[in-house]
Amino acid sequence: MPLRQVLHQLDLSTPGRGFTRIDQTLNAWLRTTGLHQGVLYLTCLHTSASLTINENADPRVLQDLEAWMADVVPESRPYVHNDEGADDMPAHIRTALTSQTLSLSVQDGRLVLGTWQAVYLWEHRSAPHQRTVVCHLMGEEQPLAKESLRINETIQSRHDAEAWATDGGVETEVDLLVDRLHELADKPSQDGHSH
């Protein structure tokens, strides 16, 4: 099955320095793409915010990360680039120490993450900001055979194979639908393959 690409822009409002969880928003968008397996490339379009995968259960992990980063890149140090305030140059350094891009696997229309993992936009500025993350998804649509199997199983679960004996041999709508599905499954597609 050929790969398909989808580009999307995720616009986010941050409350200021700290972590904004985005994996749930990404999963909601992924469900709308029709792609069930592939790779999602994320790029943060800013020099004072970054992307990270980290703990999703205990918020103290994120607090400790923020405190550690403040110790490593203090605002109290004199910086040459200080036009936008004491947090400006430290935000650029924090971005350089972290990552502005992530590559994530997608399976069954969802991000493949560990049980305790989440994806965050890490805001390094003190004030709230509008941030943009570009999402570039490359993947495959759900295989027709898999979807056909699911539809067939749903219909078969409603189909009474012995009903013809009790209804005088009259075919029901479900009988006709099952027959038509079998015809379609046996008919070669336009690319020459049976579905």
Side-chain angles (χ1 to χ4, degrees), residues 23-192:
D23 54 293
Q24 294 141 326
T25 303
L26 290 169
N27 278 329
W29 169 70
L30 285 169
R31 284 191 296 274
T32 69
T33 66
L35 301 183
H36 91 108
Q37 183 171 295
V39 178
L40 176 62
Y41 301 96
L42 301 176
T43 305
C44 179
L45 300 183
H46 305 279
T47 60
S48 55
S50 56
L51 297 168
T52 186
I53 297 175
N54 221 296
E55 173 79 39
N56 69 12
D58 187 346
R60 295 176 301 174
V61 171
L62 302 179
Q63 291 169 0
D64 286 342
L65 279 170
E66 189 61 52
W68 176 84
M69 187 63 85
D71 290 342
V72 172
V73 187
E75 290 183 7
S76 58
R77 184 187 184 285
Y79 295 100
V80 175
H81 176 75
N82 60 7
D83 299 342
E84 296 178 33
D87 70 328
D88 186 23
M89 189 59 208
H92 293 302
I93 296 171
R94 292 171 185 188
T95 299
L97 293 175
T98 53
S99 180
Q100 289 179 284
T101 63
L102 290 176
S103 299
L104 299 162
S105 297
V106 174
Q107 184 174 17
D108 296 326
R110 295 184 54 78
L111 296 173
V112 178
L113 293 170
T115 302
W116 308 114
Q117 290 182 319
V119 180
Y120 297 95
L121 174 75
W122 192 352
E123 176 64 65
H124 300 302
R125 297 298 304 269
S126 300
H129 277 77
Q130 288 298 118
R131 299 301 192 180
T132 301
V133 175
V134 170
C135 311
H136 186 170
L137 175 62
M138 293 178 26
E140 298 177 346
E141 294 177 342
Q142 186 164 349
L144 183 59
K146 189 174 182 181
E147 183 65 13
S148 296
L149 180 61
R150 185 188 66 77
I151 292 169
N152 196 31
E153 287 172 352
T154 301
I155 292 171
Q156 291 291 353
S157 71
R158 298 178 187 170
H159 176 62
D160 180 2
E162 302 301 318
W164 63 271
T166 58
D167 64 12
V170 175
E171 289 191 323
T172 65
E173 288 181 13
V174 173
D175 294 322
L176 296 173
L177 186 55
V178 169
D179 290 343
R180 181 66 181 132
L181 283 173
H182 287 291
E183 288 173 16
L184 290 172
D186 294 335
K187 179 182 176 184
S189 66
Q190 291 178 354
D191 61 7

